[in-house]
Amino acid sequence: MNVHVYDTYEEMSKNAAEEIISLLNSKPNSVLCIPGGDTPKEMLSYLVQAYKLGRVDFSQATFIGLDDWVGVGPEDIGSCQLFLNSNFFHQVNAKKENIHLFDTMSEDLENECKKKDELVEKYGGFDLMILGIGMNGHLGFNEPGVDFGLKSHVIDLDETTQSVGQKYFEEKKELKQGITLGVKHLLNSRTIFLLANGEKKAEIVKATIEGPVTNTNPASVLQQHENIHYYLDQKAASLLG
Ligand code: PGA
């Protein structure tokens, strides 16, 4: 396990982004998963800048979406799709046909999950899985109590997720269900980055890195991965022993 702690959120983001740039420079056709949320914003902005400087090329990379809110469409502010499209995909040269996000408006969500499972299988897993962490320890929408053996699935959202999730929306939104890659997929990655910043994440970060592996804190399962890297700012790392 590798714990990287930086003085600031900006430093944390820059260092994670530099690793992604190195990966793509050595393996341009990497398969990546990039999360939505507040945490990766600065990292994505750094990647966009690096792209504009000609330091990285995304044209051969494949992107598979991590999760999204069921029933929240791609044009809705607050959807992971809109976030990723506007903060990243539309600003770099990632190819549309290589970007595979969940269709949250599909009438057949089971089939959406099946398609993602087949895709992950086809690519033989991820080269790099980048994750944020929820206040309740969720990874994607693998909520507390989740079965670690699951692949893609639709899940009823935990109360914490329903209320914390309001921050992404301009108006109060009913957030009942999510669609997500499962823990089985997350672990099927050659390398995993878990990013966390800010004081409010300190407690869950401590439980994740130093606590027992338990599905009441899904992120704790990452301890079982042989190539897990935690990217933390000083504040998120402040309770680590
Ligand atoms: P955040 O969300 O980056 O907005 O804190 C993380 C998550 O819920 O996984």
mmCIF file of all heavy atoms in Angstrom, residues 111-158:
data_model
loop_
_atom_site.group_PDB
_atom_site.id
_atom_site.type_symbol
_atom_site.label_atom_id
_atom_site.label_comp_id
_atom_site.label_asym_id
_atom_site.label_seq_id
_atom_site.Cartn_x
_atom_site.Cartn_y
_atom_site.Cartn_z
ATOM 1 N N ASN A 111 -29.619 -4.273 -18.561
ATOM 2 C CA ASN A 111 -28.855 -4.439 -19.792
ATOM 3 C C ASN A 111 -27.664 -3.469 -19.840
ATOM 4 O O ASN A 111 -26.591 -3.819 -20.346
ATOM 5 C CB ASN A 111 -29.775 -4.240 -21.006
ATOM 6 C CG ASN A 111 -29.094 -4.654 -22.291
ATOM 7 O OD1 ASN A 111 -28.457 -5.712 -22.348
ATOM 8 N ND2 ASN A 111 -29.182 -3.821 -23.298
ATOM 9 N N GLU A 112 -27.860 -2.276 -19.306
ATOM 10 C CA GLU A 112 -26.759 -1.313 -19.202
ATOM 11 C C GLU A 112 -25.603 -1.934 -18.406
ATOM 12 O O GLU A 112 -24.441 -1.815 -18.749
ATOM 13 C CB GLU A 112 -27.220 -0.057 -18.452
ATOM 14 C CG GLU A 112 -27.688 1.065 -19.317
ATOM 15 C CD GLU A 112 -26.648 1.474 -20.334
ATOM 16 O OE1 GLU A 112 -25.597 1.980 -19.948
ATOM 17 O OE2 GLU A 112 -26.894 1.272 -21.536
ATOM 18 N N CYS A 113 -25.989 -2.579 -17.305
ATOM 19 C CA CYS A 113 -24.977 -3.215 -16.444
ATOM 20 C C CYS A 113 -24.287 -4.348 -17.199
ATOM 21 O O CYS A 113 -23.060 -4.485 -17.148
ATOM 22 C CB CYS A 113 -25.636 -3.775 -15.179
ATOM 23 S SG CYS A 113 -26.210 -2.476 -14.074
ATOM 24 N N LYS A 114 -25.089 -5.110 -17.914
ATOM 25 C CA LYS A 114 -24.541 -6.249 -18.655
ATOM 26 C C LYS A 114 -23.539 -5.748 -19.710
ATOM 27 O O LYS A 114 -22.455 -6.315 -19.874
ATOM 28 C CB LYS A 114 -25.698 -7.002 -19.317
ATOM 29 C CG LYS A 114 -25.337 -8.342 -19.851
ATOM 30 C CD LYS A 114 -26.595 -9.157 -20.185
ATOM 31 C CE LYS A 114 -26.260 -10.213 -21.191
ATOM 32 N NZ LYS A 114 -26.675 -9.926 -22.557
ATOM 33 N N LYS A 115 -23.918 -4.665 -20.382
ATOM 34 C CA LYS A 115 -23.031 -4.118 -21.419
ATOM 35 C C LYS A 115 -21.694 -3.674 -20.809
ATOM 36 O O LYS A 115 -20.632 -3.896 -21.376
ATOM 37 C CB LYS A 115 -23.707 -2.915 -22.118
ATOM 38 C CG LYS A 115 -24.788 -3.346 -23.095
ATOM 39 C CD LYS A 115 -25.197 -2.239 -24.074
ATOM 40 C CE LYS A 115 -25.654 -0.984 -23.426
ATOM 41 N NZ LYS A 115 -26.468 -0.057 -24.209
ATOM 42 N N LYS A 116 -21.765 -3.051 -19.631
ATOM 43 C CA LYS A 116 -20.528 -2.584 -18.988
ATOM 44 C C LYS A 116 -19.676 -3.788 -18.553
ATOM 45 O O LYS A 116 -18.461 -3.771 -18.710
ATOM 46 C CB LYS A 116 -20.823 -1.724 -17.765
ATOM 47 C CG LYS A 116 -21.284 -0.339 -18.078
ATOM 48 C CD LYS A 116 -20.186 0.507 -18.706
ATOM 49 C CE LYS A 116 -20.739 1.812 -19.241
ATOM 50 N NZ LYS A 116 -21.732 1.671 -20.321
ATOM 51 N N ASP A 117 -20.340 -4.814 -18.040
ATOM 52 C CA ASP A 117 -19.587 -6.001 -17.613
ATOM 53 C C ASP A 117 -18.855 -6.623 -18.799
ATOM 54 O O ASP A 117 -17.691 -7.026 -18.702
ATOM 55 C CB ASP A 117 -20.525 -7.040 -16.978
ATOM 56 C CG ASP A 117 -21.062 -6.571 -15.629
ATOM 57 O OD1 ASP A 117 -20.548 -5.570 -15.101
ATOM 58 O OD2 ASP A 117 -21.999 -7.208 -15.117
ATOM 59 N N GLU A 118 -19.565 -6.674 -19.930
ATOM 60 C CA GLU A 118 -18.948 -7.268 -21.126
ATOM 61 C C GLU A 118 -17.765 -6.440 -21.604
ATOM 62 O O GLU A 118 -16.743 -6.972 -22.035
ATOM 63 C CB GLU A 118 -20.003 -7.394 -22.244
ATOM 64 C CG GLU A 118 -20.968 -8.539 -21.954
ATOM 65 C CD GLU A 118 -22.196 -8.545 -22.854
ATOM 66 O OE1 GLU A 118 -22.319 -7.678 -23.745
ATOM 67 O OE2 GLU A 118 -23.056 -9.423 -22.655
ATOM 68 N N LEU A 119 -17.933 -5.137 -21.487
ATOM 69 C CA LEU A 119 -16.872 -4.230 -21.920
ATOM 70 C C LEU A 119 -15.614 -4.383 -21.045
ATOM 71 O O LEU A 119 -14.492 -4.478 -21.550
ATOM 72 C CB LEU A 119 -17.400 -2.794 -21.802
ATOM 73 C CG LEU A 119 -16.754 -1.738 -22.649
ATOM 74 C CD1 LEU A 119 -16.959 -2.018 -24.125
ATOM 75 C CD2 LEU A 119 -17.373 -0.381 -22.298
ATOM 76 N N VAL A 120 -15.840 -4.418 -19.736
ATOM 77 C CA VAL A 120 -14.694 -4.555 -18.819
ATOM 78 C C VAL A 120 -13.991 -5.884 -19.115
ATOM 79 O O VAL A 120 -12.759 -5.960 -19.172
ATOM 80 C CB VAL A 120 -15.136 -4.476 -17.339
ATOM 81 C CG1 VAL A 120 -13.958 -4.738 -16.406
ATOM 82 C CG2 VAL A 120 -15.766 -3.118 -17.024
ATOM 83 N N GLU A 121 -14.803 -6.903 -19.353
ATOM 84 C CA GLU A 121 -14.252 -8.220 -19.673
ATOM 85 C C GLU A 121 -13.443 -8.172 -20.975
ATOM 86 O O GLU A 121 -12.330 -8.680 -21.051
ATOM 87 C CB GLU A 121 -15.417 -9.211 -19.825
ATOM 88 C CG GLU A 121 -14.954 -10.611 -20.030
ATOM 89 C CD GLU A 121 -15.588 -11.540 -18.998
ATOM 90 O OE1 GLU A 121 -16.024 -11.061 -17.938
ATOM 91 O OE2 GLU A 121 -15.648 -12.723 -19.295
ATOM 92 N N LYS A 122 -14.041 -7.535 -21.979
ATOM 93 C CA LYS A 122 -13.377 -7.442 -23.287
ATOM 94 C C LYS A 122 -11.998 -6.797 -23.169
ATOM 95 O O LYS A 122 -11.044 -7.223 -23.802
ATOM 96 C CB LYS A 122 -14.261 -6.614 -24.231
ATOM 97 C CG LYS A 122 -13.663 -6.325 -25.583
ATOM 98 C CD LYS A 122 -14.581 -5.485 -26.454
ATOM 99 C CE LYS A 122 -13.752 -4.570 -27.328
ATOM 100 N NZ LYS A 122 -14.513 -3.491 -27.949
ATOM 101 N N TYR A 123 -11.890 -5.779 -22.349
ATOM 102 C CA TYR A 123 -10.604 -5.082 -22.202
ATOM 103 C C TYR A 123 -9.693 -5.741 -21.172
ATOM 104 O O TYR A 123 -8.576 -5.296 -20.948
ATOM 105 C CB TYR A 123 -10.828 -3.616 -21.828
ATOM 106 C CG TYR A 123 -11.287 -2.790 -23.011
ATOM 107 C CD1 TYR A 123 -12.604 -2.373 -23.116
ATOM 108 C CD2 TYR A 123 -10.400 -2.466 -24.029
ATOM 109 C CE1 TYR A 123 -13.031 -1.622 -24.219
ATOM 110 C CE2 TYR A 123 -10.811 -1.726 -25.124
ATOM 111 C CZ TYR A 123 -12.118 -1.310 -25.209
ATOM 112 O OH TYR A 123 -12.533 -0.585 -26.292
ATOM 113 N N GLY A 124 -10.185 -6.763 -20.507
ATOM 114 C CA GLY A 124 -9.347 -7.447 -19.517
ATOM 115 C C GLY A 124 -9.109 -6.595 -18.279
ATOM 116 O O GLY A 124 -8.040 -6.646 -17.676
ATOM 117 N N GLY A 125 -10.076 -5.776 -17.919
ATOM 118 C CA GLY A 125 -9.943 -4.945 -16.716
ATOM 119 C C GLY A 125 -9.305 -3.605 -17.060
ATOM 120 O O GLY A 125 -9.068 -3.283 -18.221
ATOM 121 N N PHE A 126 -9.014 -2.850 -16.016
ATOM 122 C CA PHE A 126 -8.525 -1.474 -16.181
ATOM 123 C C PHE A 126 -7.009 -1.405 -15.972
ATOM 124 O O PHE A 126 -6.466 -2.095 -15.116
ATOM 125 C CB PHE A 126 -9.174 -0.569 -15.125
ATOM 126 C CG PHE A 126 -10.661 -0.410 -15.307
ATOM 127 C CD1 PHE A 126 -11.552 -1.339 -14.775
ATOM 128 C CD2 PHE A 126 -11.173 0.667 -16.017
ATOM 129 C CE1 PHE A 126 -12.918 -1.204 -14.950
ATOM 130 C CE2 PHE A 126 -12.541 0.816 -16.193
ATOM 131 C CZ PHE A 126 -13.411 -0.125 -15.655
ATOM 132 N N ASP A 127 -6.386 -0.515 -16.726
ATOM 133 C CA ASP A 127 -4.991 -0.212 -16.409
ATOM 134 C C ASP A 127 -4.947 0.659 -15.159
ATOM 135 O O ASP A 127 -4.117 0.454 -14.289
ATOM 136 C CB ASP A 127 -4.330 0.531 -17.580
ATOM 137 C CG ASP A 127 -4.151 -0.393 -18.757
ATOM 138 O OD1 ASP A 127 -3.341 -1.328 -18.625
ATOM 139 O OD2 ASP A 127 -4.854 -0.231 -19.766
ATOM 140 N N LEU A 128 -5.858 1.624 -15.125
ATOM 141 C CA LEU A 128 -5.879 2.527 -13.971
ATOM 142 C C LEU A 128 -7.310 2.886 -13.594
ATOM 143 O O LEU A 128 -8.077 3.355 -14.432
ATOM 144 C CB LEU A 128 -5.093 3.813 -14.293
ATOM 145 C CG LEU A 128 -5.088 4.873 -13.193
ATOM 146 C CD1 LEU A 128 -4.442 4.338 -11.918
ATOM 147 C CD2 LEU A 128 -4.352 6.130 -13.668
ATOM 148 N N MET A 129 -7.604 2.667 -12.350
ATOM 149 C CA MET A 129 -8.906 3.009 -11.771
ATOM 150 C C MET A 129 -8.669 4.187 -10.829
ATOM 151 O O MET A 129 -7.882 4.070 -9.881
ATOM 152 C CB MET A 129 -9.396 1.783 -10.999
ATOM 153 C CG MET A 129 -10.576 1.951 -10.095
ATOM 154 S SD MET A 129 -12.144 2.202 -10.932
ATOM 155 C CE MET A 129 -12.194 0.850 -12.079
ATOM 156 N N ILE A 130 -9.325 5.300 -11.107
ATOM 157 C CA ILE A 130 -9.167 6.477 -10.235
ATOM 158 C C ILE A 130 -10.480 6.653 -9.475
ATOM 159 O O ILE A 130 -11.558 6.648 -10.080
ATOM 160 C CB ILE A 130 -8.852 7.731 -11.070
ATOM 161 C CG1 ILE A 130 -7.635 7.462 -11.946
ATOM 162 C CG2 ILE A 130 -8.590 8.936 -10.160
ATOM 163 C CD1 ILE A 130 -7.551 8.350 -13.149
ATOM 164 N N LEU A 131 -10.375 6.791 -8.180
ATOM 165 C CA LEU A 131 -11.575 6.841 -7.347
ATOM 166 C C LEU A 131 -11.541 8.015 -6.389
ATOM 167 O O LEU A 131 -10.465 8.412 -5.915
ATOM 168 C CB LEU A 131 -11.667 5.552 -6.504
ATOM 169 C CG LEU A 131 -11.782 4.235 -7.277
ATOM 170 C CD1 LEU A 131 -11.526 3.056 -6.344
ATOM 171 C CD2 LEU A 131 -13.157 4.120 -7.921
ATOM 172 N N GLY A 132 -12.719 8.533 -6.098
ATOM 173 C CA GLY A 132 -12.885 9.420 -4.951
ATOM 174 C C GLY A 132 -13.479 8.558 -3.833
ATOM 175 O O GLY A 132 -13.715 7.358 -4.016
ATOM 176 N N ILE A 133 -13.737 9.160 -2.708
ATOM 177 C CA ILE A 133 -14.352 8.402 -1.613
ATOM 178 C C ILE A 133 -15.503 9.228 -1.033
ATOM 179 O O ILE A 133 -15.369 10.447 -0.827
ATOM 180 C CB ILE A 133 -13.310 8.040 -0.524
ATOM 181 C CG1 ILE A 133 -13.961 7.235 0.607
ATOM 182 C CG2 ILE A 133 -12.593 9.263 0.022
ATOM 183 C CD1 ILE A 133 -12.953 6.650 1.598
ATOM 184 N N GLY A 134 -16.626 8.554 -0.805
ATOM 185 C CA GLY A 134 -17.772 9.236 -0.209
ATOM 186 C C GLY A 134 -17.575 9.416 1.290
ATOM 187 O O GLY A 134 -16.729 8.757 1.911
ATOM 188 N N MET A 135 -18.359 10.292 1.867
ATOM 189 C CA MET A 135 -18.305 10.522 3.316
ATOM 190 C C MET A 135 -18.632 9.231 4.075
ATOM 191 O O MET A 135 -18.235 9.067 5.230
ATOM 192 C CB MET A 135 -19.304 11.614 3.719
ATOM 193 C CG MET A 135 -19.003 12.984 3.142
ATOM 194 S SD MET A 135 -17.455 13.642 3.751
ATOM 195 C CE MET A 135 -17.909 13.963 5.445
ATOM 196 N N ASN A 136 -19.355 8.340 3.435
ATOM 197 C CA ASN A 136 -19.717 7.068 4.067
ATOM 198 C C ASN A 136 -18.816 5.916 3.586
ATOM 199 O O ASN A 136 -19.107 4.753 3.831
ATOM 200 C CB ASN A 136 -21.183 6.725 3.766
ATOM 201 C CG ASN A 136 -21.451 6.658 2.267
ATOM 202 O OD1 ASN A 136 -20.528 6.796 1.469
ATOM 203 N ND2 ASN A 136 -22.696 6.434 1.897
ATOM 204 N N GLY A 137 -17.762 6.250 2.883
ATOM 205 C CA GLY A 137 -16.828 5.226 2.412
ATOM 206 C C GLY A 137 -17.221 4.598 1.085
ATOM 207 O O GLY A 137 -16.590 3.638 0.641
ATOM 208 N N HIS A 138 -18.235 5.145 0.438
ATOM 209 C CA HIS A 138 -18.589 4.504 -0.842
ATOM 210 C C HIS A 138 -17.530 4.757 -1.907
ATOM 211 O O HIS A 138 -16.819 5.760 -1.894
ATOM 212 C CB HIS A 138 -20.000 4.895 -1.309
ATOM 213 C CG HIS A 138 -20.148 6.276 -1.876
ATOM 214 N ND1 HIS A 138 -21.371 6.846 -2.121
ATOM 215 C CD2 HIS A 138 -19.237 7.215 -2.261
ATOM 216 C CE1 HIS A 138 -21.201 8.051 -2.639
ATOM 217 N NE2 HIS A 138 -19.926 8.297 -2.723
ATOM 218 N N LEU A 139 -17.444 3.804 -2.824
ATOM 219 C CA LEU A 139 -16.561 3.890 -3.988
ATOM 220 C C LEU A 139 -17.478 3.799 -5.188
ATOM 221 O O LEU A 139 -18.167 2.781 -5.354
ATOM 222 C CB LEU A 139 -15.588 2.705 -4.029
ATOM 223 C CG LEU A 139 -14.608 2.565 -2.865
ATOM 224 C CD1 LEU A 139 -13.826 1.264 -2.995
ATOM 225 C CD2 LEU A 139 -13.643 3.756 -2.803
ATOM 226 N N GLY A 140 -17.492 4.808 -6.040
ATOM 227 C CA GLY A 140 -18.574 4.854 -7.023
ATOM 228 C C GLY A 140 -19.854 4.847 -6.197
ATOM 229 O O GLY A 140 -19.943 5.527 -5.172
ATOM 230 N N PHE A 141 -20.827 4.040 -6.602
ATOM 231 C CA PHE A 141 -22.008 3.879 -5.750
ATOM 232 C C PHE A 141 -22.031 2.491 -5.110
ATOM 233 O O PHE A 141 -23.089 1.883 -4.960
ATOM 234 C CB PHE A 141 -23.291 4.172 -6.529
ATOM 235 C CG PHE A 141 -23.527 5.646 -6.743
ATOM 236 C CD1 PHE A 141 -23.993 6.119 -7.957
ATOM 237 C CD2 PHE A 141 -23.283 6.569 -5.734
ATOM 238 C CE1 PHE A 141 -24.212 7.478 -8.157
ATOM 239 C CE2 PHE A 141 -23.493 7.928 -5.930
ATOM 240 C CZ PHE A 141 -23.960 8.376 -7.141
ATOM 241 N N ASN A 142 -20.877 2.023 -4.747
ATOM 242 C CA ASN A 142 -20.828 0.836 -3.897
ATOM 243 C C ASN A 142 -21.010 1.340 -2.474
ATOM 244 O O ASN A 142 -20.064 1.805 -1.836
ATOM 245 C CB ASN A 142 -19.496 0.098 -4.084
ATOM 246 C CG ASN A 142 -19.435 -0.567 -5.435
ATOM 247 O OD1 ASN A 142 -19.971 -1.662 -5.611
ATOM 248 N ND2 ASN A 142 -18.843 0.116 -6.408
ATOM 249 N N GLU A 143 -22.256 1.261 -2.026
ATOM 250 C CA GLU A 143 -22.660 1.863 -0.769
ATOM 251 C C GLU A 143 -22.380 0.915 0.409
ATOM 252 O O GLU A 143 -22.199 -0.292 0.209
ATOM 253 C CB GLU A 143 -24.163 2.170 -0.839
ATOM 254 C CG GLU A 143 -24.541 3.153 -1.955
ATOM 255 C CD GLU A 143 -24.179 4.597 -1.627
ATOM 256 O OE1 GLU A 143 -23.029 4.982 -1.876
ATOM 257 O OE2 GLU A 143 -25.044 5.323 -1.127
ATOM 258 N N PRO A 144 -22.372 1.453 1.635
ATOM 259 C CA PRO A 144 -22.159 0.587 2.802
ATOM 260 C C PRO A 144 -23.102 -0.618 2.769
ATOM 261 O O PRO A 144 -24.293 -0.478 2.476
ATOM 262 C CB PRO A 144 -22.484 1.515 3.978
ATOM 263 C CG PRO A 144 -22.117 2.876 3.466
ATOM 264 C CD PRO A 144 -22.504 2.871 2.012
ATOM 265 N N GLY A 145 -22.538 -1.783 3.030
ATOM 266 C CA GLY A 145 -23.317 -3.029 3.022
ATOM 267 C C GLY A 145 -23.244 -3.772 1.697
ATOM 268 O O GLY A 145 -23.750 -4.886 1.567
ATOM 269 N N VAL A 146 -22.585 -3.157 0.710
ATOM 270 C CA VAL A 146 -22.541 -3.757 -0.634
ATOM 271 C C VAL A 146 -21.816 -5.117 -0.621
ATOM 272 O O VAL A 146 -20.919 -5.346 0.196
ATOM 273 C CB VAL A 146 -21.836 -2.779 -1.625
ATOM 274 C CG1 VAL A 146 -20.339 -2.702 -1.391
ATOM 275 C CG2 VAL A 146 -22.144 -3.143 -3.074
ATOM 276 N N ASP A 147 -22.230 -5.961 -1.537
ATOM 277 C CA ASP A 147 -21.574 -7.255 -1.721
ATOM 278 C C ASP A 147 -20.306 -7.029 -2.555
ATOM 279 O O ASP A 147 -20.386 -6.548 -3.695
ATOM 280 C CB ASP A 147 -22.581 -8.165 -2.452
ATOM 281 C CG ASP A 147 -22.017 -9.529 -2.778
ATOM 282 O OD1 ASP A 147 -20.781 -9.718 -2.667
ATOM 283 O OD2 ASP A 147 -22.815 -10.402 -3.160
ATOM 284 N N PHE A 148 -19.156 -7.375 -1.988
ATOM 285 C CA PHE A 148 -17.879 -7.132 -2.683
ATOM 286 C C PHE A 148 -17.735 -7.992 -3.944
ATOM 287 O O PHE A 148 -16.830 -7.775 -4.746
ATOM 288 C CB PHE A 148 -16.691 -7.407 -1.749
ATOM 289 C CG PHE A 148 -16.460 -6.340 -0.690
ATOM 290 C CD1 PHE A 148 -15.678 -6.625 0.433
ATOM 291 C CD2 PHE A 148 -16.985 -5.062 -0.807
ATOM 292 C CE1 PHE A 148 -15.428 -5.658 1.406
ATOM 293 C CE2 PHE A 148 -16.751 -4.087 0.161
ATOM 294 C CZ PHE A 148 -15.968 -4.382 1.273
ATOM 295 N N GLY A 149 -18.609 -8.978 -4.099
ATOM 296 C CA GLY A 149 -18.498 -9.858 -5.275
ATOM 297 C C GLY A 149 -19.248 -9.332 -6.490
ATOM 298 O O GLY A 149 -19.195 -9.934 -7.565
ATOM 299 N N LEU A 150 -19.952 -8.208 -6.332
ATOM 300 C CA LEU A 150 -20.782 -7.722 -7.442
ATOM 301 C C LEU A 150 -19.971 -7.056 -8.549
ATOM 302 O O LEU A 150 -18.948 -6.420 -8.295
ATOM 303 C CB LEU A 150 -21.797 -6.689 -6.936
ATOM 304 C CG LEU A 150 -22.981 -7.188 -6.112
ATOM 305 C CD1 LEU A 150 -23.867 -5.994 -5.714
ATOM 306 C CD2 LEU A 150 -23.793 -8.219 -6.887
ATOM 307 N N LYS A 151 -20.503 -7.217 -9.779
ATOM 308 C CA LYS A 151 -19.987 -6.420 -10.911
ATOM 309 C C LYS A 151 -20.918 -5.210 -11.033
ATOM 310 O O LYS A 151 -21.382 -4.698 -10.022
ATOM 311 C CB LYS A 151 -19.950 -7.284 -12.163
ATOM 312 C CG LYS A 151 -18.947 -8.429 -12.049
ATOM 313 C CD LYS A 151 -18.893 -9.205 -13.342
ATOM 314 C CE LYS A 151 -17.895 -10.336 -13.256
ATOM 315 N NZ LYS A 151 -17.964 -11.169 -14.467
ATOM 316 N N SER A 152 -21.214 -4.762 -12.262
ATOM 317 C CA SER A 152 -22.072 -3.573 -12.401
ATOM 318 C C SER A 152 -23.449 -3.844 -11.834
ATOM 319 O O SER A 152 -23.996 -4.937 -12.007
ATOM 320 C CB SER A 152 -22.228 -3.214 -13.879
ATOM 321 O OG SER A 152 -20.969 -3.012 -14.448
ATOM 322 N N HIS A 153 -24.014 -2.851 -11.182
ATOM 323 C CA HIS A 153 -25.345 -3.035 -10.617
ATOM 324 C C HIS A 153 -26.030 -1.704 -10.327
ATOM 325 O O HIS A 153 -25.389 -0.656 -10.278
ATOM 326 C CB HIS A 153 -25.282 -3.878 -9.333
ATOM 327 C CG HIS A 153 -24.428 -3.298 -8.259
ATOM 328 N ND1 HIS A 153 -23.050 -3.368 -8.266
ATOM 329 C CD2 HIS A 153 -24.742 -2.597 -7.148
ATOM 330 C CE1 HIS A 153 -22.572 -2.762 -7.203
ATOM 331 N NE2 HIS A 153 -23.575 -2.275 -6.506
ATOM 332 N N VAL A 154 -27.347 -1.825 -10.134
ATOM 333 C CA VAL A 154 -28.152 -0.675 -9.719
ATOM 334 C C VAL A 154 -28.346 -0.838 -8.218
ATOM 335 O O VAL A 154 -28.569 -1.952 -7.735
ATOM 336 C CB VAL A 154 -29.518 -0.693 -10.441
ATOM 337 C CG1 VAL A 154 -30.434 0.406 -9.895
ATOM 338 C CG2 VAL A 154 -29.306 -0.506 -11.947
ATOM 339 N N ILE A 155 -28.242 0.254 -7.492
ATOM 340 C CA ILE A 155 -28.264 0.146 -6.037
ATOM 341 C C ILE A 155 -29.103 1.278 -5.433
ATOM 342 O O ILE A 155 -29.127 2.387 -5.974
ATOM 343 C CB ILE A 155 -26.797 0.177 -5.493
ATOM 344 C CG1 ILE A 155 -26.727 -0.164 -4.010
ATOM 345 C CG2 ILE A 155 -26.120 1.499 -5.791
ATOM 346 C CD1 ILE A 155 -25.322 -0.533 -3.529
ATOM 347 N N ASP A 156 -29.815 0.965 -4.342
ATOM 348 C CA ASP A 156 -30.516 2.013 -3.598
ATOM 349 C C ASP A 156 -29.466 2.808 -2.845
ATOM 350 O O ASP A 156 -28.614 2.233 -2.154
ATOM 351 C CB ASP A 156 -31.500 1.397 -2.586
ATOM 352 C CG ASP A 156 -32.681 0.758 -3.292
ATOM 353 O OD1 ASP A 156 -32.939 1.138 -4.466
ATOM 354 O OD2 ASP A 156 -33.327 -0.118 -2.697
ATOM 355 N N LEU A 157 -29.552 4.124 -2.960
ATOM 356 C CA LEU A 157 -28.516 4.958 -2.355
ATOM 357 C C LEU A 157 -28.722 5.108 -0.856
ATOM 358 O O LEU A 157 -29.843 5.250 -0.365
ATOM 359 C CB LEU A 157 -28.495 6.329 -3.026
ATOM 360 C CG LEU A 157 -28.130 6.299 -4.518
ATOM 361 C CD1 LEU A 157 -28.328 7.682 -5.149
ATOM 362 C CD2 LEU A 157 -26.695 5.834 -4.718
ATOM 363 N N ASP A 158 -27.608 5.087 -0.181
ATOM 364 C CA ASP A 158 -27.538 5.325 1.249
ATOM 365 C C ASP A 158 -28.037 6.752 1.555
ATOM 366 O O ASP A 158 -27.911 7.646 0.714
ATOM 367 C CB ASP A 158 -26.031 5.227 1.562
ATOM 368 C CG ASP A 158 -25.701 5.198 3.009
ATOM 369 O OD1 ASP A 158 -26.028 4.203 3.650
ATOM 370 O OD2 ASP A 158 -25.095 6.181 3.485
#
